[in-house]
């Protein structure tokens, strides 16, 4: 992709908080390119540095190292000593608390970005009317801000972020303060809204379901580092890193050793304590090296009879089976390993049943056994 | 970009330097002045420790010291007992008429110190005191049972004037107390009174100690009662001694300086200890959090006893002083209430006060100073609070402490140091209303910074950042977001400061001149001239002005910002 198509470019961002002994390294060299017009999500467990990265883009934090450009214009560069203050960056931001000013009406809140630039009254009125319509709040102009519901406050925050047509919209966990039902509904609305106004949007969330549902691209972050970037599909079904596989959705991990990498349409082969598996290797594996096999619960086929094929087949005992309506969620013991498997609800499962498992080779991802340094197992197992 | 940087840096730097100037210069000049042999500008001035020798080697000094301590301690204990009792009754018990108590407890607060002192003289003077005369007649006594012109009388008058502050501070700490600790004791089987003694009181101890220190400092820096009662009774304390050293002819600035430094050290020590104590209790308070509904203790039949005591206090502290002031303001010559005198009720005193040659000047000056200093202090401290609470600018804590220094400066000491400052520096404002304005701003800055910081802390950072991401400059953000959000605290602080500046006496009395007379000075002069009825009329007018200003401020504040 040509460079000018990236709306936001973040290069090698490093950020420390605190002084001396309490100094913590929060961003450890984050580089990202965000395509124009896309809805781009920072996803990661809380405390991994998503908000900090977003605030660096907004200019609310000053990074220690690195550079940031918006729309081709450098807004921050540690090396060149460039720092464009927040109010001069072409951005709109929706805060986690929404930050609706309680001393103003809906109209005054939304009009604020225009008022302070001394846009004339008629234009303000027109423009505010337009954005309130976009977010579905027309008619509420004169309502005092404290009299709004959570969902309405959020729409006001959106309208305010949109009103002076920023190049980039920054959203920090915008749904985390809503109740579960509304959250579900707002996902669709945000996605539709972003399509309609077509503004490059950076969306921060720790909720993987939200990220999958809403994003064009997702940047997975962990402990101040960028782990992997991809679209929701790629990241879910073909993750390249162990952390991605475990953080997005559920997965089963079986450690082993690469026997051969395979090639073209031929799968590789991985030797584990449960036998040898055909699998699709991720980049960075090499024959003879350690790897971990990742397969999602819904990609394991359960059979009561021994199947014809023998490749990627395991024998196990049902330990626990929970009926979920649309599926059984089972724990199946294979030797000393417990695998999580989701099966079709027609296939009745009872604890103690002997079953055969088929691990579809196309869904078996071989990933590097260890991600980058500084990651601990407890974070991975989430 | 340039303009953005400038507006912000100019305001921030300007305010910081102004605070440094206000708080720092008087301190420096006071120390300097106390080691000079003659006031600045007079030929032959040299460095000397003569002033201190003269002060400390005088036997009278130790009497003075002892009197000051006795007076401060007495005031502190009596006001503490009254204020704490009322706070406890109001916050923690089911005593009837609690709502009424809240109003009554705060009335003495709005009566200027000079007036409440005068009221007590009119009530307890051995010759003309109303209470004395009534009791004497009723019991057929030979001589007056009470004498205001004594240490006890002084302490009483001062304590009645100061207890509302105790009431406010103690109410706050009763309210913040985590009552589940008490409930735990009750469920463990201890009785209400054992719980009070074993749990409640120990929990309150740090807060109580803090309040006692505040009251001690207040007592040691008090001026009105010592000046109006102590001087005729020949009971001197530091504040009156300093006042007299300057008011004698020729003034002894050096000696006043030496006394002032001594007084400053005592009150400074009190404030320092206070800060240490409250730092700890505040931390304690944040841990337990707020929003508790304190458990109200059911006193059973005892609630009528507490109710009776509270009413007795109000009769003494509110009803009688207010009555005597009102009564005296409507009669042609001072006398105890009687049918003959009632027939002579007149508005002549008010007429006299309003047509008094200096009255118009005094009203105008007091009003301007009160509004001006309250507004400037609140604006200044809002900026300072932003720096110390919100910004990451280094030195914020230092600035906060700096703005707090004047709390340790008794009014009379501030007056002495400002005399030195403006006799020395080539700023030609000595003897004008401007020096009073600077004095008031300095003196009331600590109250402003307290109120502004407390409100600033409650403003979510994102509200401010949302303005920045909307394209607002620092100045626009401050004016359109921060100030309106600060408004409730701003108005509260404004009202408080305008009240205390309208009744300010101890600093003004050293700094005023004919053209910069203020109301409290006018009252002082009328009193010195023996014109009691006029003073009372003036006092009633002052209180009316105060109430009007408070009401207008609330109305305006509600319009500009969010109503509370
Ligand atoms: N102002 C600050 N001072 C010190 N540490 C901070 C500050 N802001 C964030 N941190 C720390 O930086 C890390 C990353 O925070 P953040 O970017 O908010 O994470 P998240 O991914 O949850 O949004 C956390 O460990 C947090 O405690
Ligand atoms: Mg966050």
């Amino acid at each position: 992709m040509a460079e000018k198509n990236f709306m936001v470019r973040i290069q090698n961002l490093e950020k420390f908080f605190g002084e001396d002994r309490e100094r913590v390294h929060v961003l450890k060299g984050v580089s990202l390119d965000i395509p124009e017009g896309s809805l781009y999500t920072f996803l990661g467990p809380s405390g991994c540095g998503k908000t900090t990265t977003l605030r660096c883009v907004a200019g609310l934090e000053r990074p220690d190292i690195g550079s940031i450009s918006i729309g081709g214009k450098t807004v921050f560069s540690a090396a060149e000593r460039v720092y464009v203050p927040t109010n001069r960056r072409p951005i709109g931001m929706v805060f986690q608390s929404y930050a609706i000013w309680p001393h103003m009406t809906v109209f005054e809140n939304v009009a604020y970005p225009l008022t302070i630039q001394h846009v004339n009254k008629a234009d303000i009125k027109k423009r505010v009317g337009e954005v309130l319509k976009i977010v579905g709040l027309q008619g509420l102009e004169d309502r005092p801000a404290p009299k709004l519901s959570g969902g309405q406050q959020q729409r006001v925050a959106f309208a305010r972020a949109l009103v002076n047509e920023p190049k980039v919209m920054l959203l920090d966990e915008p749904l985390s303060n809503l109740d579960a039902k509304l959250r579900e509904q707002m996902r669709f609305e945000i996605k539709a809204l972003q399509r309609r106004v077509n503004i490059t949007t950076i969306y921060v969330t720790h909720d993987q379901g939200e990220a999958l549902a809403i994003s064009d691209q997702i940047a997975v972050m962990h402990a101040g580092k960028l782990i992997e970037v991809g679209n929701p599909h790629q990241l879910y079904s073909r993750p390249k890193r162990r952390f991605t596989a475990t953080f997005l959705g559920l997965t089963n991990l079986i450690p082993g050793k690469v026997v051969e990498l395979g090639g073209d349409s031929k799968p590789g082969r991985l030797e584990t304590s449960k036998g040898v598996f055909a699998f699709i290797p991720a980049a960075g594996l090499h024959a003879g090296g350690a790897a971990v096999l990742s397969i999602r619960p819904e990609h394991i086929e359960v059979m009561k009879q021994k199947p014809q094929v023998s490749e990627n087949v395991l024998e196990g005992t049902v330990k626990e089976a929970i009926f979920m309506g649309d599926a059984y969620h089972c724990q199946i013991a294979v030797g000393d390993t417990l695998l999580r498997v989701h099966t079709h609800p027609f296939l009745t499962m009872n604890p103690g049943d002997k079953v055969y498992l088929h691990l579809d080779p196309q869904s078996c991802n071989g990933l590097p056994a260890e991600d980058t340094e500084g990651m601990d197992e407890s974070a991975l197992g989430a | 970009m340039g303009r953005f940087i400038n507006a912000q840096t100019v305001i921030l730097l300007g305010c910081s330097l102004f605070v440094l100037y206000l708080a720092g210069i008087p301190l420096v000049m006071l120390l300097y002045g106390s080691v000079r042999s003659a006031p600045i500008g007079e030929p032959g001035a040299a460095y000397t420790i003569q002033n201190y020798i003269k002060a400390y080697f005088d036997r009278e000094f130790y009497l003075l010291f002892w009197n000051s301590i006795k007076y401060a301690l007495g005031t502190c204990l009596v006001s503490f007992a009254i204020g704490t009792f009322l706070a406890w009754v109001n916050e923690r018990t089911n005593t009837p008429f609690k709502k009424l108590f809240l109003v009554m407890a705060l009335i003495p607060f709005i009566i200027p110190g000079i007036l409440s002192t005068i009221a007590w003289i009119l009530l307890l003077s051995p010759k003309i005191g109303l209470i004395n005369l009534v009791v004497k007649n009723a019991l057929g006594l030979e001589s007056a049972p009470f004498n205001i012109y004594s240490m006890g009388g002084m302490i009483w008058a001062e304590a009645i004037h100061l207890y509302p502050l105790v009431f406010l501070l103690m109410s706050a700490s009763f309210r913040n107390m985590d009552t589940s600790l008490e409930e735990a004791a009750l469920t463990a089987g201890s009785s209400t009174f054992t719980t009070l003694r074993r749990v409640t009181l120990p929990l309150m101890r740090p807060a109580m100690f803090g309040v006692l220190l505040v009251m001690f400092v207040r007592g040691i820096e008090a001026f009105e009662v010592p000046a109006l009662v102590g001087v005729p009774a020949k009971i001197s304390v530091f504040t009156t001694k300093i006042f007299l050293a300057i008011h004698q002819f020729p003034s002894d600035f050096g000696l006043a300086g030496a006394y002032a430094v001594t007084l400053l050290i005592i009150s400074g020590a009190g404030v320092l200890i206070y800060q240490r104590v409250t730092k700890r209790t505040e931390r304690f308070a944040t841990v337990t959090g707020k929003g508790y509904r304190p458990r109200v203790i059911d006193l059973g039949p005892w609630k009528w006893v507490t109710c009776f005591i509270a009413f007795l206090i109000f009769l003494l502290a509110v009803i009688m002083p207010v009555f005597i002031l009102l009564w005296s303001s409507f009669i042609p010559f001072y006398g105890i209430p009687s049918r003959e005198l009632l027939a002579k009720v007149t508005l002549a005193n008010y007429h006299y006060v309003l047509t008094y040659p200096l009255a118009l000047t005094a009203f105008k000056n007091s009003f301007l100073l009160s509004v001006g200093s309250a507004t400037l202090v609140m604006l200044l401290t809002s900026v300072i609070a932003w720096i110390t609470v919100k910004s990451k600018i280094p030195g914020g804590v230092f600035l906060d402490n700096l703005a707090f220094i004047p709390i340790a400066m008794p009014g009379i000491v501030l007056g002495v140091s400002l005399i030195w400052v403006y006799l020395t520096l080539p700023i030609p404002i000595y003897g004008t209303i401007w020096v009073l304005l600077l004095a008031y701003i300095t003196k009331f800055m600590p109250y402003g910074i307290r109120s502004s910081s407390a409100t600033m802390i409650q403003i979510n950072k994102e509200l401010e950042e949302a303005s920045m991401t909307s394209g607002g400059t620092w100045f626009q953000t401050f004016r359109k977001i921060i100030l309106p959000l600060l408004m409730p605290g701003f108005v509260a602080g404004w009202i408080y400061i305008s009240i205390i500046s309208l009744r300010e006496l101890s600093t003004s009395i050293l700094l005023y001149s004919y053209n910069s007379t203020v109301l409290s000075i006018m009252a002082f002069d009328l009193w010195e001239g023996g014109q009691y009825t006029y003073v009372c009329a003036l006092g009633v007018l002052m209180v009316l002005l105060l109430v009007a200003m408070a009401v207008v401020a609330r109305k305006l504040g509600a319009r500009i910002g969010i109503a509370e």
Side-chain angles (χ1 to χ4, degrees):
Chain A
M1 221 182 275
E3 186 174 320
K4 65 175 192 290
N5 289 338
F6 289 122
M7 179 54 84
V8 179
R9 308 202 69 178
I10 298 174
Q11 266 149 13
N12 189 33
L13 220 54
E14 305 232 6
K15 171 79 190 161
F16 295 86
F17 276 120
E19 314 239 303
D20 303 330
R21 232 177 272 160
E22 280 147 42
R23 200 165 138 103
V24 280
H25 200 171
V26 171
L27 297 181
K28 303 170 183 165
V30 173
S31 300
L32 287 169
D33 291 317
I34 299 172
E36 188 170 346
S38 68
L39 201 168
Y40 196 98
T41 299
F42 296 168
L43 173 68
S46 81
C48 73
K50 310 174 295 284
T51 298
T52 307
T53 313
L54 194 76
R55 289 169 61 83
C56 288
V57 174
L60 295 169
E61 301 287 355
R62 252 182 225 239
D64 293 291
I65 299 177
S67 68
I68 301 171
S69 71
I70 299 177
K73 182 172 170 279
T74 303
V75 292
F76 175 81
S77 164
E80 293 162 40
R81 301 185 155 276
V82 177
Y83 169 76
V84 177
T86 301
N87 59 316
R88 294 178 172 263
R89 297 189 183 191
I91 53 164
M93 185 156 176
V94 174
F95 289 84
Q96 200 164 0
S97 67
Y98 308 143
I100 303 299
W101 299 306
H103 59 298
M104 297 183 184
T105 61
V106 168
F107 181 89
E108 288 164 338
N109 262 284
V110 177
Y112 182 84
L114 304 174
T115 329
I116 54 175
Q117 284 169 14
H118 309 293
V119 176
N120 73 53
K121 286 232 169 75
D123 288 349
I124 293 182
K125 208 165 159 113
K126 182 160 157 280
R127 180 69 190 137
V128 172
E130 282 167 14
V131 286
L132 283 180
K133 196 160 169 219
I134 292 177
V135 300
L137 280 182
Q138 61 271 57
L140 288 187
E141 281 86 347
D142 297 325
R143 173 110 23 129
K147 298 234 165 83
L148 296 173
S149 70
Q152 286 171 330
Q153 284 192 28
Q154 197 209 34
R155 286 164 205 256
V156 174
F158 265 100
R160 187 175 64 191
L162 283 171
V163 76
N164 58 359
E165 296 171 335
K167 288 186 173 158
V168 186
M169 189 149 71
L170 309 173
L171 312 178
D172 189 0
E173 312 237 6
L175 303 183
S176 63
N177 280 332
L178 303 178
D179 58 51
K181 245 212 184 105
L182 196 54
R183 204 177 318 163
E184 201 83 356
Q185 178 198 337
M186 287 306 286
R187 283 182 189 175
F188 291 104
E189 288 205 22
I190 291 179
K191 179 97 183 166
L193 181 73
Q194 195 266 339
R195 287 235 177 86
R196 223 172 318 145
V197 295
N198 199 31
I199 289 180
T200 310
T201 301
I202 306 182
Y203 187 102
V204 163
T205 181
H206 67 273
D207 181 329
Q208 42 104 6
E210 210 169 287
L212 289 174
I214 204 171
S215 316
D216 293 322
Q217 292 235 55
I218 299 174
V220 180
M221 293 180 67
H222 180 56
K225 289 192 173 172
L226 182 68
I227 300 296
E228 185 176 353
V229 179
N231 67 39
H233 248 280
Q234 287 166 342
L235 291 181
Y236 189 80
S237 49
R238 206 47 92 222
K240 294 197 185 76
R241 306 289 293 274
R242 182 176 166 153
F243 179 76
T244 313
T246 51
F247 191 73
L248 271 99
L250 283 175
T251 199
N252 295 293
L253 294 177
I254 306 172
K257 206 175 88 183
V258 178
V259 179
E260 64 178 294
L261 277 176
D264 295 336
S265 55
K266 197 166 142 299
R269 290 165 67 74
L270 185 79
E271 189 187 325
T272 75
S273 60
K274 308 278 170 280
V276 175
F277 291 93
F279 78 110
I280 309 291
L285 296 187
H286 53 90
V292 61
L293 185 140
S294 156
I295 183 154
R296 304 222 176 255
E298 67 272 24
H299 293 148
I300 299 180
E301 194 185 350
V302 180
M303 288 156 291
K304 298 246 163 154
Q305 261 79 46
K306 194 175 168 77
Q308 313 289 233
V309 289
S310 61
E311 192 187 55
N312 285 16
V313 170
L314 293 170
E315 219 180 305
T317 316
V318 178
K319 280 278 172 217
E320 200 69 67
I322 301 166
F323 181 61
M324 298 293 288
D326 57 349
Y328 272 103
H329 287 187
C330 314
Q331 291 191 323
I332 294 175
V334 177
D336 53 358
T337 310
L338 274 183
L339 295 182
R340 314 183 79 163
V341 180
H342 299 171
T343 65
H344 200 276
F346 291 166
L347 192 70
T348 322
M349 303 283 277
N350 291 308
D353 289 356
K354 278 257 172 309
V355 289
Y356 295 90
L357 307 174
H358 178 233
L359 281 53
D360 173 17
Q362 286 302 315
S363 302
C364 289
N365 293 302
L367 308 173
E370 299 296 331
D371 274 334
T372 29
E373 80 289 351
M375 289 191 179
D376 54 18
E377 222 27 66
S378 62
L380 292 174
Chain B
M1 192 163 193
R3 250 185 48 212
F4 167 80
I5 297 285
N6 282 339
Q8 181 174 2
T9 33
V10 164
I11 293 173
L12 296 185
L13 202 66
C15 288
S16 308
L17 289 178
F18 192 44
V19 167
L20 185 67
Y21 174 79
L22 289 177
I25 296 291
L27 271 183
V28 174
M29 288 309 291
L30 178 65
L31 291 175
Y32 175 73
S34 71
V35 293
R36 297 291 287 179
S37 60
I40 315 289
E42 276 182 33
Y47 287 100
T48 174
I49 54 162
Q50 200 55 45
N51 298 318
Y52 286 94
I53 292 175
K54 194 169 156 196
Y56 292 147
F57 280 81
D58 186 353
R59 248 200 68 234
E60 207 194 339
F61 174 86
Y62 296 93
L63 192 64
L64 192 68
F65 190 86
W66 176 229
N67 272 342
S68 298
I69 298 290
K70 252 197 316 197
Y71 178 67
L73 274 180
T75 304
C76 154
L77 292 176
V78 176
S79 64
F80 182 79
I82 300 176
T84 306
F85 173 76
L86 290 177
W88 176 74
V89 163
N90 193 48
E91 288 292 331
R92 302 296 314 274
T93 70
N94 64 342
T95 305
F97 307 114
K98 276 190 343 188
K99 280 259 160 57
L100 186 64
F101 292 172
L102 189 65
V103 180
M104 298 278 263
L106 295 176
I107 287 179
F109 178 70
I110 212 158
I111 301 178
I114 182 163
L115 283 178
S116 69
T117 312
I118 288 170
W120 280 107
I121 294 174
L122 297 179
L123 288 169
L124 289 184
S125 148
K127 284 205 205 85
I128 57 168
L130 179 60
I131 296 181
N132 274 330
L133 295 180
V134 170
V135 175
K136 212 162 81 174
N137 285 344
L139 303 181
L141 297 176
E142 289 287 292
S143 61
F146 305 109
N147 183 6
I148 182 87
Y149 296 105
S150 63
M151 182 56 89
M154 285 168 69
I155 288 174
W156 173 255
E158 188 69 51
I160 290 297
H161 179 56
L162 289 183
Y163 86 81
L165 184 59
V166 178
F167 176 80
L168 287 177
L169 293 170
M170 289 309 290
S171 294
S173 51
F174 277 124
R175 224 174 297 133
N176 288 337
M177 213 182 90
D178 182 354
T179 45
S180 61
L181 297 169
E182 279 184 324
E183 280 156 11
L186 286 174
T187 52
S190 75
S191 72
T192 303
F193 281 96
T194 315
T195 309
L196 183 69
R197 197 165 52 83
R198 301 285 297 269
V199 179
T200 314
L201 287 181
L203 274 174
M204 304 277 298
R205 205 176 287 144
M208 283 158 70
F209 185 56
V211 175
L212 280 170
L213 274 169
V214 169
M215 300 326 287
F216 177 81
V217 171
R218 279 302 172 83
I220 202 122
E221 68 177 37
F223 177 71
E224 284 88 339
V225 175
L228 266 56
V229 182
V231 171
K234 306 236 174 333
I235 300 174
S236 290
V237 295
F238 276 120
T239 51
T240 42
K241 190 76 190 171
I242 295 168
F243 172 66
L244 293 175
I246 287 183
H247 258 230
Q248 69 191 14
F249 188 81
S251 300
D252 193 339
F253 288 107
L255 183 65
Y259 280 129
V261 169
T262 314
L263 180 54
L264 180 65
I265 289 170
I266 300 173
S267 71
V271 169
L272 270 183
I273 303 172
Y274 168 76
Q275 277 194 309
R276 297 220 138 182
V277 175
T278 48
K279 280 249 168 66
R280 230 176 302 136
T281 51
E282 269 165 11
R283 212 177 303 143
F284 195 60
T286 43
V287 174
T288 56
K290 48 182 180 178
Y292 283 107
R293 221 34 256 116
R295 204 175 53 88
V296 164
I297 301 163
D298 187 351
L299 293 176
W302 286 98
K303 71 184 177 188
W304 296 108
V305 176
T306 51
C307 181
F308 175 76
I309 299 176
F311 266 116
L312 206 61
I313 292 175
F314 291 130
L315 180 69
L316 282 174
V318 182
I319 297 171
M320 296 214 304
V322 168
F323 168 77
I324 197 82
L325 286 178
L326 276 174
W327 165 252
S328 310
S329 77
F330 286 112
I331 52 173
F333 49 87
Y334 182 73
I336 61 164
S338 63
R339 197 159 295 165
E340 301 91 82
L341 215 44
L342 193 60
K344 297 203 175 105
V345 160
T346 166
L347 286 174
N349 296 324
Y350 290 91
H351 184 256
Y352 177 87
V353 164
L354 287 172
T355 53
Y356 189 72
L358 266 182
L360 201 63
T361 319
F363 266 102
K364 199 185 77 197
N365 285 343
S366 276
F367 179 74
L368 289 179
L369 280 171
S370 164
V371 170
S373 62
T375 311
L376 288 174
V377 164
M378 290 317 294
L379 281 176
L380 180 67
T381 55
S382 298
V383 174
I384 299 298
W386 184 85
I387 296 177
T388 58
V389 175
K390 297 283 175 196
S391 82
K392 295 164 198 155
I393 299 170
V397 180
F398 171 70
L399 208 54
D400 194 55
N401 288 334
L402 200 61
F404 206 64
I405 285 182
I407 197 103
M409 273 200 151
I412 202 97
V413 173
L414 183 64
V416 174
S417 25
L418 288 181
I419 292 178
W420 281 103
V421 173
Y422 293 104
L423 283 178
T424 313
L425 297 186
I427 304 173
I429 58 170
Y430 187 73
T432 68
I433 192 173
W434 296 104
V435 74
L436 287 176
L437 182 68
L438 285 179
Y440 287 13
I441 295 177
T442 310
K443 189 168 178 183
F444 303 134
M445 192 161 59
Y447 306 103
I449 195 78
R450 266 299 162 95
S451 146
S452 299
S453 309
T455 332
M456 191 69 82
I457 285 168
Q458 289 166 6
I459 299 179
N460 184 343
K461 191 174 67 160
E462 293 190 344
L463 290 172
E464 181 182 336
E465 290 174 347
S467 166
M468 311 282 256
T469 61
S470 298
T473 62
W474 179 84
F475 186 63
Q476 285 168 325
T477 305
F478 192 79
R479 197 163 58 87
K480 301 201 165 192
I481 308 297
I482 308 234
L483 272 185
L485 290 174
L486 276 180
M487 208 33 88
F490 193 103
V491 171
W494 192 94
I495 291 175
Y496 183 77
I497 292 174
S498 64
I499 289 175
I500 54 182
S501 39
L502 198 75
R503 64 188 201 195
E504 209 297 320
L505 177 64
S506 57
T507 308
S508 316
I509 203 155
L510 293 184
L511 296 173
Y512 82 100
S513 66
Y514 186 79
N515 283 324
S516 60
T517 300
V518 292
L519 288 173
S520 52
I521 300 284
M522 183 175 153
F524 190 79
D525 282 348
L526 287 172
W527 175 260
E528 298 275 272
Q531 296 158 303
Y532 306 158
T533 54
Y534 298 147
V535 184
C536 294
L538 179 63
V540 172
L541 291 175
M542 279 172 84
V543 171
L544 288 180
L545 180 61
L546 282 171
V547 172
M549 277 166 54
V551 170
V552 171
R554 275 218 176 278
K555 284 261 156 64
L556 278 182
R559 270 240 309 273
I560 300 168
I562 32 177
E564 257 177 302

